[in-house]
Amino acid sequence: MYRVLINRNEGRILVTGKARDLKLLHEGWELLFESFDWDEAFEYAMKIAEDEVIEWYYDEEVKKKFVKGLSIAA
């Protein structure tokens, strides 16, 4: 599950598939969106971003594209 979290005070948006990042909800972050698709979560973050900085884990993006490539090749 990929999630889009926002910290309005810091002007940051995080796209994450890591369950451990849910602890951020206790540190002033809000959960805005959930999806089983990384691209969908990232596109949502891009759509809502104004002046916020968007952050994500590079390894999640690469893994998504690798798995997608494997399914096309099969």
Side-chain angles (χ1 to χ4, degrees):
M1 176 72 64
Y2 297 98
R3 297 171 179 91
V4 177
L5 306 173
I6 187 169
N7 185 315
R8 297 178 197 278
N9 293 333
E10 294 181 16
R12 296 167 61 194
I13 295 174
L14 175 63
V15 180
T16 180
K18 300 180 187 309
R20 70 177 185 237
D21 287 331
L22 290 175
K23 73 177 189 272
L24 294 171
L25 297 175
H26 302 288
E27 298 175 16
W29 291 73
E30 299 172 52
L31 175 63
L32 296 182
F33 186 79
E34 293 181 308
S35 174
F36 287 108
D37 186 276
W38 188 91
D39 290 327
E40 186 177 33
F42 186 77
E43 286 174 21
Y44 178 82
M46 293 292 290
K47 185 168 66 170
I48 65 162
E50 293 176 6
D51 293 331
E52 293 89 2
V53 172
I54 299 176
E55 304 170 62
W56 64 94
Y57 293 101
Y58 181 73
D59 65 318
E60 290 181 346
E61 179 184 16
V62 169
K63 183 170 81 174
K64 166 66 178 168
K65 294 188 185 313
F66 177 74
V67 169
K68 190 174 186 179
L70 286 179
S71 65
I72 291 171

